[in-house]
Structures are given as C-alpha cells and as structure tokens.
Amino acid sequence: MSLIVQKYGGTSVANPERIRNVARRVARYKAMGHQIVVVVSAMSGETNKLIALAKEVMAEPDPRELDVMISTGEQVTIGMTALALMELGIKAKSYTGTQVKILTDDSHTKARILDIDEHNIKQDLNDGYVCVVAGFQGVDEFGNITTLGRGGSDTTGVALAAALKADECQIYTDVDGVYTTDPRVVPEARRLDKITFEEMLELASQGSKVLQIRSVEFAGKYKVKLRVLSSFEDEGDGTLITFEEENKDSEMEEPIISGIAFNRDEAKIIVLGVPDKPGIAYQILGPIADANIDVDMIIQNTGADGTTDFTFTVHKNEMGKALAVLRDKVQNHINAREISGDDKIAKVSVVGIGMRSHVGIASQMFRTLAEEGINIQMISTSEIKIAVVIDEKYMELAVRVLHKAFELEES
Ligand code: ASP
Ligand code: MG
C-alpha cells in the first residue's frame, strides 16, 4: 500500500464529465489498495474569470479581497470531486486550505507555505477516506485566506506530499509529460521519460509552464518523488523528475541539452550612467526588493569614465512599479543619466545537466542565433543553463532553430 497525492489541473476538472473521469481514476488507485489524497485546481478559465470580475470593481484589486474571491474556484471543484467519488461508492471528504490548515505567510496573491497540519488528513486516510484538498490556497496566522500565485495548485500538491511523506506525487495535466520544449511552438518536440530535478527547476524558472517553480523547489527540498502525467490517457508513465544520484549508474549517456524554455513575461529595466562605486547595486536593487518586486537577470557593465550601466529584468506586470520606485526613491541618490523600461523582450534558455562536462554549448547557441540575425540583448548563465534576452518578435524562431541545432527532435 502506498500513499499517493494526485494533483489535477484546471483542464482535468473543466466540467462534470471530466471530474467523473478523475473520480474513476482515483477509484482504480483506491481499488489497488493505495491511500489517495487528491488536490484540484479550479475549472480551467475560472481563476481568470474571477480576477476579471474583481477588476471590474477595482482596477487594481486589494490583494486580501482578491484572494477571498479567487480562492473560490477551487472550493467548487473540491466539493464536486468529493461528490463524484461518493457517487462511485467511495468515502470522500473535501478540505479547503483553511480546513487543512495550510499555513502561509501573509503575502496575498503570492503567499508561501510555512506549515501544513497533516493530522486530520492522516486520520481520514486511516479511516478509509479519499481526501480532496483545494489547491492554490492557504491561510495566514490571522485566519486570512491567501493564495499561492498562479499555478499554485502544483505547490499545494507537492507540499502535501512532503508533509504526508507520500510515496509519490502525481501531477495530472493536459500534456502527457515534460517536453523538450512547448509542442505548440515546435511540433517535433519530444516527451522526456525523465528529467533531473535541477533541470526541471531551471526549466520552470526559465518559463516552462508545466510545473509551478515553487512546487519543484519543494520537491527538491523534501525529495518528493514527482511525476507529470496526462489526465486524458490511462496508459503511459509520463515524465519522472529524478534526483541526480539516482541516474549515476545508468549506462546510457545522458543528453547534453534536455530542453528549451522561453518566457514572454519579463521586462527589462535599464539604468544608464550611474557612479561606479561601492553600494550602487544595493542602492538600486534594495528598494526594488523592499517593494516586493522579483528580479531575475542582473547585468552590470564594466565601469568606464567613473560611471557604469545597470540592467535587470522584472515581471512585465511590475515594470511600471519598478520604474516608479527607481524614479521616486532611487534617482536622487544615484543620479543616473537615464532610467527606462522595455517590455518587448523575450527570454530563451537552453537547459541541460550535460553542460557541466561539455564545452562549446554557449558558442553553439550564439552561432545558431547569429545565423538567423537575432540580436542578443542580455546573457546569463548557470552551471546547467544559458539564457538570452532577445526582441520578443524573434522568440518562436529562436526556439525552433535552437531545438534543431541541439538535435532535440523526435529520433
Ligand atoms: N487556479 C489557479 C490558477 O489558475 C491555481 C492553479 O490552477 O494551479 O492559477
Ligand atoms: Mg497548472
């Protein structure tokens, strides 16, 4: 007997028939003798609808009230899933985040999970229930409803799996696994049987939408066995997220590049002509961090004539806020020649563990882009990733030519 957490995304619970389908799969696993915790998203499109409704009343909705609204999508699907299970004669019980007590911090709309009280769920599982838990939501220490950021149900699933010490966390979605890149951009993209946790983390942070990045971080920290599968197919093993040690003695040579991610959600902030002296980076980025704005890439030029240029990227939605912080709180200290923003950019990244032991991956990537006349605006690297910022209009082309250059297509 295993304890399995199954998380179902919005398309998997999009209507009553699909919810019945979820219930039938859960029933099959239950019949094999497993204990099952189900985590569901809202029906697809529902969260967007709720956000739009809020915005009709207040252009920039108050975050606490927005969370009260957008957490309701999942409250509908937990009830429906529990009902569908009962219809199959299975004992089932739904839980909101508050009812479980998924304790989070108080950063509304992007809260972090601090602790999960697994006690009641454990008790119910032992009494033969399937527990159906609302994804995406939690509660802060004062009882306010919080949400975990878009795609946050993945994180609920993995965090619950960690808290319950589950044997496996299965993420059911509308694709049958993790692909070398998005098949909508490159039809030849290939499903990966397995991918290391570190590669998955890079892919998720570079824009692959298959898993919310926090869920991958959680899986890594607590060594949760994670698998991505299709909820529309009964067969298939999906993609297993492995830990590198487990791959060590595999005979096959691992591919050098595992995948290509892209992201159109970032904007570039350019600060030109600031004094080249200690403390400047902190003076620029400190207030940005204090405003709770996430920064991704950061580049500082070598100084010339006592001044230097500073460029960084933030989420597109936060470009206006970041520029306002710089103009209101920073400019009078640093006296930059110019502060500007550009949101017509895209980031394209190649990711692969094999980069550690192979040289020339970066030059191959740059040559491939150069051959298409694509200008690179920013570059950042990690041990297993090379990311470039380019004009957004060349993004799909860049992904296609890189996919081909690194021979990732169906073999
Ligand atoms: N319903 C939420 C969203 O659309 C959470 C999720 O689906 O994971 O972002
Ligand atoms: Mg999702």
Side-chain angles (χ1 to χ4, degrees):
M1 184 190 75
S2 302
L3 200 172
I4 300 172
V5 174
Q6 297 187 334
K7 180 263 169 180
Y8 291 91
T11 49
S12 310
V13 294
N15 56 49
E17 184 43 42
R18 290 193 183 166
I19 289 179
R20 273 194 284 272
N21 199 34
V22 166
R24 283 191 286 267
R25 176 179 292 98
V26 173
R28 280 202 302 280
Y29 273 87
K30 192 90 175 54
M32 292 183 240
H34 302 306
Q35 292 186 327
I36 310 289
V37 175
V38 179
V39 174
V40 286
S41 292
M43 293 178 175
S44 57
E46 194 56 33
T47 310
N48 287 342
K49 235 185 267 171
L50 292 164
I51 292 172
L53 265 181
K55 286 188 173 165
E56 279 190 39
V57 189
M58 188 188 271
E60 296 232 8
D62 173 81
R64 181 188 184 276
E65 305 314 323
L66 185 62
D67 275 350
V68 167
M69 289 180 67
I70 64 181
S71 58
T72 59
E74 276 77 7
Q75 192 165 333
V76 172
T77 49
I78 53 170
M80 284 179 78
T81 306
L83 293 176
L85 285 163
M86 288 174 185
E87 280 289 295
L88 296 177
I90 291 170
K91 287 185 359 180
K93 198 191 255 187
S94 67
Y95 279 91
T96 64
T98 308
Q99 286 172 320
V100 175
K101 197 141 185 203
I102 297 179
L103 183 71
T104 71
D105 63 19
D106 61 2
S107 1
H108 284 289
T109 75
K110 49 179 175 186
R112 281 182 181 272
I113 296 177
L114 301 174
D115 185 50
I116 293 183
D117 181 355
E118 75 289 351
H119 183 258
N120 291 336
I121 291 185
K122 272 253 156 81
Q123 186 63 52
D124 281 340
L125 289 174
N126 289 335
D127 291 343
Y129 283 92
V130 168
C131 297
V132 186
V133 179
F136 181 53
Q137 54 176 268
V139 62
D140 74 7
E141 61 172 321
F142 305 108
N144 299 300
I145 296 173
T146 55
T147 63
L148 309 178
R150 300 307 306 271
S153 300
D154 292 339
T155 300
T156 307
V158 177
L160 264 172
L164 293 163
K165 300 190 172 55
D167 296 286
E168 183 163 312
C169 180
Q170 302 174 338
I171 307 275
Y172 287 92
T173 173
D174 49 4
V175 292
D176 61 352
V178 178
Y179 276 68
T180 48
T181 195
D182 188 333
R184 282 169 298 194
V185 174
V186 183
E188 297 80 20
R190 194 166 39 84
R191 183 180 61 79
L192 300 161
D193 290 329
K194 56 182 189 180
I195 185 168
T196 66
F197 149 75
E198 288 159 293
E199 288 169 315
M200 196 62 232
L201 194 60
E202 286 284 11
L203 286 175
S205 69
Q206 298 307 309
S208 155
K209 297 263 164 33
V210 184
L211 288 171
Q212 198 204 30
I213 177 159
R214 282 190 191 165
S215 72
V216 187
E217 286 168 0
F218 242 101
K221 190 160 168 199
Y222 297 100
K223 291 266 165 18
V224 174
K225 192 170 161 199
L226 195 59
R227 194 185 284 282
V228 177
L229 304 132
S230 165
S231 67
F232 301 117
E233 290 165 24
D234 289 336
E235 312 269 303
D237 295 328
T239 300
L240 181 66
I241 322 291
T242 61
F243 294 93
E244 222 188 329
E245 314 79 89
E246 297 166 8
N247 282 340
K248 275 250 169 70
D249 21 71
S250 92
E251 310 243 306
M252 293 249 298
E253 177 147 18
E254 301 292 334
I256 299 169
I257 301 299
S258 292
I260 299 177
F262 52 84
N263 182 344
R264 307 171 225 241
D265 296 339
E266 287 182 28
K268 180 169 84 166
I269 308 271
I270 307 139
V271 186
L272 295 180
V274 295
D276 187 18
K277 60 173 198 212
I280 279 294
Y282 175 63
Q283 277 182 19
I284 294 173
L285 292 177
I288 295 287
D290 292 343
N292 211 2
I293 299 171
D294 282 329
V295 172
D296 179 32
M297 282 190 190
I298 303 172
I299 288 179
Q300 189 193 308
N301 278 357
T302 311
D305 308 334
T307 69
T308 187
D309 303 332
F310 203 89
T311 313
F312 60 97
T313 63
V314 298
H315 195 282
K316 263 183 192 162
N317 293 343
E318 298 193 306
M319 183 175 91
K321 191 169 153 196
L323 287 171
V325 168
L326 292 178
R327 288 182 177 135
D328 299 348
K329 303 213 172 103
V330 180
Q331 174 64 348
N332 53 340
H333 302 297
I334 60 167
N335 229 332
R337 194 173 71 244
E338 190 188 319
I339 297 174
S340 62
D342 176 3
D343 62 1
K344 301 272 177 293
I345 59 161
K347 187 173 68 168
V348 175
S349 320
V350 300
V351 171
I353 282 267
M355 265 183 228
R356 284 188 185 142
S357 47
H358 286 80
V359 294
I361 305 299
S363 68
Q364 189 179 351
M365 180 179 189
F366 302 153
R367 187 181 63 225
T368 306
L369 296 173
E371 279 165 6
E372 297 296 330
I374 299 172
N375 185 42
I376 300 172
Q377 302 176 11
M378 296 171 83
I379 301 172
S380 91
T381 63
S382 78
E383 229 189 334
I384 63 165
K385 170 207 74 190
I386 304 159
V388 297
V389 165
I390 58 175
D391 188 324
E392 74 175 355
K393 64 176 183 264
Y394 298 122
M395 192 198 77
E396 298 206 352
L397 173 65
V399 173
R400 277 199 300 274
V401 294
L402 289 169
H403 197 269
K404 200 159 176 73
F406 287 107
E407 295 173 11
L408 294 176
E409 63 276 89
E410 205 91 57
S411 42

